[in-house]
Amino acid sequence: MIAPGSFPVTSAECIVNIKLLQAMTRCGQFEIDLVSKAINWQNYPSDSMESLNIRIKSHTIIVADNKLNLKTRLEHIKCFLLFGTVYNGAHWAAKAFPCIKSLVKKNRYDYILTKNESSFLLGYYFKRHHGIKWIATWHDPFPRILYPDAYIRYWNLKPGFSDSKCIRIIREYTDNNVFPNERLRDHLLKTFDIPLSRTTVIPHVVLDGHYSQRKK
């Protein structure tokens, strides 16, 4: 499971993915190696995996810098050389690549599960070069050009080489695409052009004790 936004828990995306890991732990039928992201200049407290009741085989945190500087520019160039395309934030994939390569060499995986943008290119690479089945998860529109019109006008985005390449990768290489709801799935399928049989709708996990029902 390549989930940059999972641990440490610093965002809504992290909460969603941590709950999924908790559910998979409860199920007891999964053996998981997790690779996640930490930002080297961010200081945000987080509970431990044990206190979150998550049991996994291994966990590696890849530290990255999200600021625009010479180092991150070079990492974006490395990303393009590795994967044949690049976009904002994709440099984390280049940093995580040696770790994922080592894990793939040591283990016979049934699936690689990627969670959103930063992990996308890693799922593609190891599906293309190692034949490992790839499940891509989308909590938001991707690439960004596929955001609804109001957001596109705000960002002044125009279709480019990277957008076309990413869409082609999704169309040709994903074994399954997971969405939290039908509305996002239907919106992206207009462009992805993949059959419904390669999609799954799984709402965000809600576990006992994580909510309370208001009484009238």
Side-chain angles (χ1 to χ4, degrees):
M1 181 171 171
I2 310 174
S6 59
F7 190 91
V9 184
T10 59
S11 66
E13 173 75 10
C14 295
I15 294 171
V16 168
N17 291 328
I18 284 295
K19 286 182 179 179
L20 174 61
L21 284 164
Q22 290 172 331
M24 294 171 81
T25 294
R26 288 189 184 188
C27 177
Q29 297 183 17
F30 299 95
E31 189 175 13
I32 304 167
D33 291 308
L34 172 67
V35 180
S36 65
K37 174 184 177 180
I39 301 173
N40 61 6
W41 47 266
Q42 187 175 51
N43 184 16
Y44 196 99
S46 178
D47 294 330
S48 65
M49 280 287 189
E50 292 76 14
S51 66
L52 292 168
N53 296 317
I54 294 173
R55 296 184 301 277
I56 53 181
K57 182 181 176 184
S58 73
H59 178 207
T60 305
I61 300 176
I62 306 297
V63 180
D65 190 342
N66 278 3
K67 294 181 178 179
L68 183 61
N69 52 43
L70 178 59
K71 182 179 179 181
T72 55
R73 287 177 184 271
L74 292 174
E75 288 171 348
H76 276 84
I77 293 172
K78 182 180 179 181
C79 180
F80 180 81
L81 295 175
L82 268 173
F83 306 114
T85 190
V86 68
Y87 45 84
N88 185 35
H91 65 299
W92 181 86
K95 290 205 69 175
F97 177 78
C99 169
I100 308 297
K101 185 177 181 180
S102 176
L103 287 169
V104 167
K105 188 176 180 179
K106 294 177 182 177
N107 301 280
R108 296 185 62 184
Y109 290 116
D110 297 307
Y111 300 94
I112 287 181
L113 173 63
T114 60
K115 307 292 289 186
N116 282 27
E117 294 183 20
S118 299
S119 59
F120 167 76
L121 294 175
L122 292 161
Y124 157 59
Y125 181 95
F126 289 100
K127 170 61 188 292
R128 180 180 180 183
H129 295 283
H130 294 265
I132 304 173
K133 290 184 178 179
W134 172 27
I135 301 175
T137 306
W138 308 109
H139 295 159
D140 298 296
F142 179 81
R144 289 190 175 187
I145 193 65
L146 298 184
Y147 267 80
D149 290 342
Y151 293 93
I152 292 175
R153 281 195 291 269
Y154 176 75
W155 283 334
N156 194 29
L157 293 178
K158 297 180 180 179
F161 168 80
S162 176
D163 300 316
S164 300
K165 179 68 179 287
C166 289
I167 292 167
R168 188 164 65 251
I169 287 171
I170 293 167
R171 184 178 298 139
E172 296 179 6
Y173 289 95
T174 55
D175 290 284
N176 199 283
N177 292 265
V178 178
F179 305 91
N181 54 63
E182 293 181 357
R183 185 180 182 186
L184 179 60
R185 179 200 64 187
D186 295 345
H187 174 68
L188 294 184
L189 286 193
K190 296 174 186 177
T191 303
F192 286 0
D193 191 26
I194 57 177
L196 278 176
S197 60
R198 282 172 54 196
T199 70
T200 304
V201 173
I202 303 177
H204 293 329
V205 174
V206 177
L207 299 173
D208 294 341
H210 284 196
Y211 70 98
S212 60
Q213 190 173 37
R214 181 177 296 177
K215 296 181 179 180
K216 292 184 179 180

